Amino acid sequence: MSIVLIGYMGSGKSSVGKKLSEMVNFKFIDLDDYIEEKEKLSIAQIFETKGEIYFRKKEHLYLQEVLELRDTILSLGGGTPCYGSNMDTILKAEGAHSVYLKSSIPNLVRRLNPEKAQRPLIAHLKSDEELTEFIGKHLFERSFYYNQSNQTVVTDGKNIETIAEEIVANLF
């Protein structure tokens, strides 16, 4: 079995994934880290030198590769399910269980604001209002894909361990 964590940036996919990995003794894989390791370039460098189309093709290829592994917790980039046929690939993967970590816009703004400088997608946004509008627009566009997940866990007001326990309780 593999557990695929889906959600917007700042929703806790990596933190929850690492906790789940400990709880069920599965290997944790962050798809962006996996791509960087395989390509020997950072995601930013791939976009800069080879372009988004190249990146999205590689992302799909590596997603398929990782979904073939067993006993894994896979954390996806926020946009991964929304490109090409990635969501269909996830839903059709044998033994894969997808979980949407659903966070409210105010919660995402609160979590992402201190990290803006490290997140190229939002680094240019100056105010809380701009960040709120940006996240709201993205969530609206992406919700069609996120909501196809096998399970949805609302993360607001919960700590990492509680979220992980909720996922495990639904699976085992």
Side-chain angles (χ1 to χ4, degrees), residues 40-85:
K40 308 281 189 257
L41 294 168
S42 71
I43 301 296
Q45 290 171 319
I46 296 169
F47 268 81
E48 191 177 305
T49 60
K50 300 186 178 190
E52 184 176 5
I53 292 170
Y54 175 89
F55 172 77
R56 294 299 173 193
K57 286 180 179 177
K58 289 295 184 178
E59 179 183 53
H60 182 73
L61 176 83
Y62 294 130
L63 173 63
Q64 289 177 305
E65 197 172 284
V66 173
L67 285 170
E68 290 177 13
L69 302 173
R70 291 292 159 248
D71 299 337
T72 57
I73 309 292
L74 174 59
S75 172
L76 301 183
T80 304
C82 311
Y83 290 95
S85 60

Side-chain angles (χ1 to χ4, degrees), residues 64-140:
Q64 289 177 305
E65 197 172 284
V66 173
L67 285 170
E68 290 177 13
L69 302 173
R70 291 292 159 248
D71 299 337
T72 57
I73 309 292
L74 174 59
S75 172
L76 301 183
T80 304
C82 311
Y83 290 95
S85 60
N86 288 343
M87 195 65 204
D88 284 338
T89 300
I90 295 161
L91 294 172
K92 291 175 182 170
E94 187 179 332
H97 179 82
S98 55
V99 181
Y100 170 25
L101 298 182
K102 185 175 186 173
S103 297
S104 68
I105 295 170
N107 194 41
L108 290 169
V109 169
R110 183 182 54 75
R111 291 169 111 184
L112 290 171
N113 218 355
E115 304 174 6
K116 278 198 309 196
Q118 292 81 39
R119 301 208 180 241
L121 201 59
I122 59 171
H124 67 285
L125 302 171
K126 304 285 184 253
S127 67
D128 280 2
E129 292 77 27
E130 285 181 53
L131 183 59
T132 300
E133 187 176 323
F134 184 87
I135 292 170
K137 178 181 175 283
H138 261 159
L139 277 178
F140 177 76

